[in-house]
Amino acid sequence: MTASPGRRVLLAAPRGYCAGVDRAVIAVEKALEQYGAPVYVRHEIVHNKYVVQTLEKKGAIFVERTEEVPPGNIVMFSAHGVAPAVHEEAARGKLATIDATCPLVTKVHKEAVRFAGEDYDILLIGHEGHEEVIGTSGEAPDHIQLVDGPADVAKVEVRDESKVVWLSQTTLSVDETMETVDALKEKFPKLISPPSDDICYATQNRQLAVKQMGAEAELVIVVGSRNSSNSKRLVEVAKLAGSREAYLVDFASEIDEAWLEGVTTVGVTSGASVPEVLVEEVLEFLAQRGYGDVELVKAAEESITFSLPKELRRDLREEAAALVAERKGTSGE
């Protein structure tokens, strides 16, 4: 169908896969290619239903707990990172490991360890129960307390107000985080900030593009899964930027045609764990309904790439078998 007069789509750029997600997904694919199935993955490698289902079809097995992985197998840790205790669980379970934690999350982990070593109270801004928060907190549980938004600030207590630092979950809304930071600084004037912003470049860039198109688009469709923190933030950012409505969908089939009533401009973007094929399906859905005129809203250029986990350069199947053999030798079996 050709474009109907006056109807258009504003397509955000950048959108979709960030460097950390791309690295993690490729790592699972490479592990399956190199070692064959099964390769176990602790939690979803990234928060996207389509990606998880696609990798499952190729032979990846997703588990919630390290203990679910049989000895002598390979387990991969997701892009969100894990606490040191999880590495210890894998060692006890005689598992070979691949750490696909996003390097930007690893940076936050290292900051937590450093500040804890200097005996700081660390105020971690993030959402309770999120895998990234659990992993970061596990690096220094005696020094870290979670601050889940400005409303949490009142209950925060520290040992020494001159030794307090804030860190944050990487996938939050920039505005949401700074609102919490401002409230913390009002309570603790000597609060120090991390050496660099913890919110990742990809999260910021995707939010910036949505802000730019939000004022023009009456409707914004965000492609992403409901357990994806950064995707949910894009919906919030769109509404705050002026969009009348914003919805989160995994697939084009979830779009309700009623959303398009009276709408001339539709904004489209996707979370950092979303493959482009899902965005293309949304654009096709809209084109078939008269929204064939697509304009790019470009907020930033992205050229960052991360190398694959170093573990993929070793023979992990052999390592896993050796671990099991070692356990049998020790137990006298």
Side-chain angles (χ1 to χ4, degrees), residues 225-239:
S225 293
R226 283 157 182 76
N227 62 340
S228 166
S229 180
N230 77 86
S231 297
K232 290 192 292 185
R233 299 291 86 74
L234 290 174
V235 173
E236 295 169 3
V237 169
K239 290 179 179 178

Side-chain angles (χ1 to χ4, degrees), residues 69-121:
V69 184
N73 278 280
I74 296 170
V75 64
M76 184 176 293
F77 301 135
S78 78
H80 307 102
V82 297
V86 175
H87 289 274
E88 294 166 9
E89 290 170 2
R92 287 195 301 271
K94 306 301 179 186
L95 306 174
T97 61
I98 301 173
D99 190 352
T101 302
C102 172
L104 299 179
V105 175
T106 299
K107 177 183 75 71
V108 179
H109 282 217
K110 289 179 177 178
E111 288 171 355
V113 171
R114 179 168 72 84
F115 283 113
E118 296 173 7
D119 204 28
Y120 274 79
D121 279 324

Side-chain angles (χ1 to χ4, degrees), residues 1 7 19 78 81 85 89 100 104 127 164 176 186 201 216 240 314:
M1 181 182 289
R7 291 185 182 178
S78 78
E89 290 170 2
L104 299 179
H127 296 310
V164 188
E176 173 190 16
E186 188 173 334
Y201 75 93
E216 293 186 66
L240 289 170
R314 305 202 303 259

Side-chain angles (χ1 to χ4, degrees), residues 220-276:
V220 171
I221 295 172
V222 179
V223 185
S225 293
R226 283 157 182 76
N227 62 340
S228 166
S229 180
N230 77 86
S231 297
K232 290 192 292 185
R233 299 291 86 74
L234 290 174
V235 173
E236 295 169 3
V237 169
K239 290 179 179 178
L240 289 170
S243 179
R244 191 172 70 206
E245 292 291 350
Y247 297 98
L248 183 65
V249 299
D250 264 300
F251 307 103
S253 58
E254 295 176 4
I255 299 173
D256 187 340
E257 292 197 42
W259 299 347
L260 301 173
E261 291 179 9
V263 171
T264 57
T265 302
V266 181
V268 174
T269 190
S270 57
S273 51
V274 177
E276 186 64 10

Side-chain angles (χ1 to χ4, degrees), residues 301-318:
E301 292 279 356
E302 290 183 355
S303 57
I304 293 175
T305 58
F306 296 131
S307 59
L308 289 173
K310 62 184 184 299
E311 296 93 342
L312 285 171
R313 297 193 289 271
R314 305 202 303 259
D315 188 343
L316 296 177
R317 288 287 184 215
E318 188 174 296

Side-chain angles (χ1 to χ4, degrees), residues 42-43 77-87 101 105-106 108-110 112-113 124 127-141 144 146 169:
R42 189 181 184 276
H43 293 314
F77 301 135
S78 78
H80 307 102
V82 297
V86 175
H87 289 274
T101 302
V105 175
T106 299
V108 179
H109 282 217
K110 289 179 177 178
V113 171
L124 178 60
H127 296 310
E128 186 170 4
H130 190 278
E131 287 159 32
E132 185 185 326
V133 166
I134 293 169
T136 302
S137 298
E139 294 285 357
I144 292 177
L146 181 63
Q169 180 181 328

